[in-house]
Every structure is written in C-alpha cells, then in structure tokens.
Amino acid sequence: MRILVVGSGGVGAAFAPIAARRDFYERIVFADHHEDRGRSVVERYDKGTGRFSAATVDASDPTAITELCRVEGITHVLNAVDPRFVMPIFTGAFEAGVTYLDMALSLSEPHPEEPYGEPGVKLGDAQFAQAAAWEERGLLALVGMGVEPGLSDVFARYAQDHLFGRIDEVDVRDGADLVVKGYDFAPSFSIWTTIEECLNPPIVWEKESGWYTLPPFSEPETFTFPKGIGPLECVHVEHEEVLLIPRWIDCGRVTFKYGLGDEFIDVLKTLHKLGLDATDAVDVRGTIVSPRDVVAACLPDPAGLGPKMSGKTCAGTRVTGTGTDGNAREVYLYHVVDNEETWGRDRAQAVVWQTAVNPVVALELLGNGSWSGAGVLGPEAFEPTAFLELLNDYGSPWGVEERVPTA
C-alpha cells in the first residue's frame, strides 16, 4: 500500500505520528501546496525510516493529483484538506484508478428559494452522483471517514448490528471542554470548515419526510457528555452524518448537534452579518481575496494550539429505540480524547488528532482485507467490529454509556 495524503496541515500532520507506529503500508507521501509543510512533517515523524516522503501539489487541480499518483505509484489517496477541494481530489483519484478516502463530503448549496425548509444541493450529492462509475470500475471511494463523520457513523452501524432490534433515532452529539490559554477566540479546527457547517442551513432526516433544513443553531438542547466534560448546550449544525447514516441504517430520524457555546455562536453570527463568511473574492485595494480566507489568516493555526490547549473533546452517537431484548433502550457510544495525552505523545492537539486517527485505522483495515468494496460508500457500509477493535489496539478506546430512555 502506497498512500498519498493531500494536505499537511493540522489533520494531515497528525496522521503522520499515528501511522508511523504501524506497518501496514509501504510508503506515505505527504503533499501540500506549500512545499515546506510536507517536508516538515517528514522531518518530524519519519525518524530515518524512509517510509515518509514529501511532495508539492495543487489540490484544486485533478490532473495534478492524477499525475502525482502515477509518479509515486500511489494505491490510496487520503484527502486531508478543507471541503473546497473534495471534488478535484476525488476526480483525480478516480482518473488514477486508486482508492479514495476523505473526512468531509462535497459542499452543499442552500435552496435558492426555501433555504430553511428545503435542501438544495446536499452534502455529498456531487460524489454520490458518480457512485455508479466508481462501482463499474471496481474502485472504492470511502467518504466521510474522519471522526464526525466517520467514527460516529461506525457507532451507528455497531448499534444497529449489536445493540438494537429497532432504532428510532440516531443523534450525533459533539462537545468539548477545551480551553486555549492566551486567546479570546481560537477555533480548534479549520475556521473555513467551521463557518461552512455552522452557517449553512442544518439538515435533518426523517423516514416519513426525508431530508429537510432548519435555520442555523436551531433547537438548542442540553446534552451531558461523559468523562467529566458535563452538560453543554448543543444546536443543529449542517453535517455529513445526516446525509450518510440513512443510506445504510434503518432508523426513524437522524440529527447532528454541536456544543458550540453562546460566545462562539455570537462570533459566527457577527461574521455573517459583516459578510466575512463569504467565499467569493473581493477587491481590497487592488488585492483579490476571499473574506473567509482573511478571517482564517487572522486566526491562529489550529495545528499549533496544542501546547496552549487543555481539556478533552468528545465525539459520539446517541441511539434510541428498542433493544434486542424488546425493551426501550438509549445508549451513547463515544470517543473522548485528552489534549494532554495527544500533545504529549504526538505533538498534535486533541481535535485534529481525534480526526486523524480514524482514517489511519480505516486504511489499515483496507490494507489487511477486513474492509473492501466498490462505489461511493460511507463508513456505515462496512462491518464495524473490526474497526472498533483496531481503534482500541491503537490505544484510543471508545465507550458505551447506557442512559435512561427518554419519552
């Protein structure tokens, strides 16, 4: 297995020390638009083994992706850049005839007339439109294989296979008690992606009505997270699980909510009011620049926040319905990561590390034949036990918390 990781920022760099401890691959090429980024990852984590190398690539150019795959003899491409580049990398991998993985789906577009009611172009629509072509060529595109989406979807499949006779709701809930010393506002993940998912109309799926949208930050609820994180107010956010889970999991409803906090929400609303969330370029005294890119440039790089960050982050999936014994059941399957641990071991802050560990696990399963398939598939399409057992073997355990079923 020869892997190309496109993007050597936070998640791409965190991928390296995790993968360095495993032996399921022959080589990993870390490619980035900035030549020094990929080289820096190799210098930090290869430790003289020669299994890592660096390259330069334009992630917006499908032909460049294809050519790099062919030059390096790549068998698997991992997309570790923001969702703007999903389709070029997805297309380049297809043309190269290699397996493709990403951690976010192709971008959505709100409905032009009813944005808070009807979905327009949904997350992943552009990729799933190509599913038949991937299947005909016997190629696999494993989409949404980070932590959320990714591990959260594996949890949903595990609940269906092992814990429930009937599932009423699958509710993904994300929360953290992370603090970054010295900053009033320092997002722990790509602000470009955060703005995209938080300010777009969030989407909900129901068996009877299909997909529909709501206003941003709708239906706040207090959700109690495990391992000392505690209760947080969570709100609806546009997220891939709602587009993936119903394709493979038999359930009545799917939602995603995020524990953002009032201050974070106020900042996002202000950016929107000022038009600083916009992606279309504007002329600033002769310089053409996207307002959202300016915001990202003004904020600290999430990859470098580790030494100033403390606390834990939790990703998980609440499932309600009828257990295999015929009684009402509610469980929360979760994965908690402590920044002190990830920074101390791998010099990666908790949020990007938690995202990066899951594609490493998935690639190992693809390498040893535990997972296989063709077409455009989400994590729910695969047997979940092997994944969860291997995650434990990586030293990053998951848990199941039984809860009192709500009426």
Side-chain angles (χ1 to χ4, degrees):
M1 178 182 282
R2 296 176 67 92
I3 303 165
L4 171 63
V5 178
V6 182
S8 300
V11 175
F15 180 95
I18 303 167
R21 292 189 285 271
R22 312 301 293 188
D23 60 5
F24 63 88
Y25 57 90
E26 177 187 351
R27 190 173 189 82
I28 301 178
V29 179
F30 292 89
D32 198 280
H33 184 64
H34 303 282
E35 183 178 357
D36 59 330
R37 275 190 171 184
R39 189 167 58 248
S40 175
V41 170
V42 174
E43 291 171 353
R44 270 184 289 164
Y45 298 115
D46 181 65
K47 300 187 185 305
T49 68
R51 294 198 299 162
F52 291 177
S53 64
T56 303
V57 73
D58 180 355
S60 68
D61 183 354
T63 301
I65 300 294
T66 301
E67 290 176 353
L68 183 56
C69 287
R70 289 172 176 164
V71 167
E72 295 286 352
I74 297 300
T75 60
H76 295 71
V77 171
L78 173 64
N79 176 353
V81 291
D82 72 56
R84 285 176 291 182
F85 303 103
V86 163
M87 290 312 296
I89 301 171
F90 178 84
T91 301
F94 178 80
E95 292 301 324
V98 302
T99 298
Y100 167 88
L101 294 85
D102 63 31
M103 294 166 276
L105 303 184
S106 59
L107 293 174
S108 66
E109 295 179 15
H111 192 284
E113 297 164 357
E114 299 289 341
Y116 306 136
E118 297 292 331
V121 176
K122 301 187 298 302
L123 292 169
D125 275 358
Q127 290 170 285
F128 282 108
Q130 303 298 319
W134 282 76
E135 189 169 4
E136 286 170 7
R137 288 189 61 184
L139 297 175
L140 171 63
L142 173 49
V143 299
M145 193 59 255
V147 62
E148 289 174 340
L151 180 56
S152 51
D153 305 73
V154 173
F155 284 151
R157 174 64 185 268
Y158 181 83
Q160 176 175 265
D161 289 1
H162 299 283
L163 304 180
F164 286 83
R166 188 193 76 237
I167 295 177
D168 295 330
E169 290 201 29
V170 178
D171 303 312
V172 181
R173 297 292 182 264
D174 180 297
D177 61 4
L178 296 168
V179 175
V180 182
K181 185 178 180 180
Y183 291 97
D184 292 329
F185 185 74
S188 57
F189 203 70
S190 162
I191 188 62
W192 201 101
T193 303
T194 301
I195 289 172
E196 184 73 16
E197 64 188 21
C198 290
L199 292 180
N200 276 348
I203 192 160
V204 175
W205 181 86
E206 294 181 354
K207 181 175 285 189
E208 293 184 357
S209 53
W211 285 291
Y212 63 90
T213 55
L214 298 168
F217 317 119
S218 292
E219 299 179 356
E221 69 171 81
T222 299
F223 187 86
T224 301
F225 291 90
K227 300 296 183 180
I229 296 174
L232 296 172
E233 185 177 84
C234 297
V235 294
H236 279 295
V237 168
E238 181 192 50
H239 230 254
E240 286 87 349
E241 291 93 329
V242 182
L243 286 307
L244 291 170
I245 289 172
R247 299 175 188 269
W248 289 280
I249 305 300
D250 184 10
C251 59
R253 191 169 191 259
V254 183
T255 67
F256 180 97
K257 290 186 181 181
Y258 194 4
L260 292 170
D262 291 340
E263 182 181 10
F264 201 102
I265 291 173
D266 287 343
V267 169
L268 292 173
K269 287 180 176 179
T270 300
L271 291 174
H272 180 62
K273 286 180 181 179
L274 297 175
L276 295 175
D277 60 325
T279 57
D280 291 338
V282 297
D283 188 328
V284 182
R285 298 178 183 177
T287 300
I288 306 302
V289 63
S290 156
R292 194 183 299 185
D293 287 342
V294 172
V295 172
C298 291
L299 290 171
D301 182 355
L305 295 177
K308 300 178 181 180
M309 184 184 290
S310 61
K312 302 181 182 74
T313 182
C314 178
T317 305
R318 177 178 63 190
V319 184
T320 59
T322 303
T324 55
D325 60 0
N327 294 319
R329 190 177 194 185
E330 177 175 329
V331 302
Y332 183 58
L333 301 98
Y334 65 89
H335 184 245
V336 172
V337 173
D338 190 321
N339 187 77
E340 182 179 0
E341 178 185 346
T342 62
W343 184 256
R345 182 182 59 235
D346 290 333
R347 288 296 184 265
Q349 54 101 324
V351 176
V352 297
W353 191 97
Q354 187 182 43
T355 304
V357 67
N358 293 285
V360 184
V361 173
L363 283 161
E364 183 159 348
L365 292 175
L366 292 171
N368 66 28
S370 296
W371 279 13
S372 63
V376 179
L377 303 177
E380 305 87 345
F382 299 89
E383 195 282 319
T385 305
F387 188 98
L388 297 174
E389 289 177 349
L390 192 53
L391 187 63
N392 285 335
D393 188 58
Y394 274 52
S396 190
W398 58 284
V400 182
E401 186 176 85
E402 293 284 347
R403 300 195 171 192
V404 177
T406 55

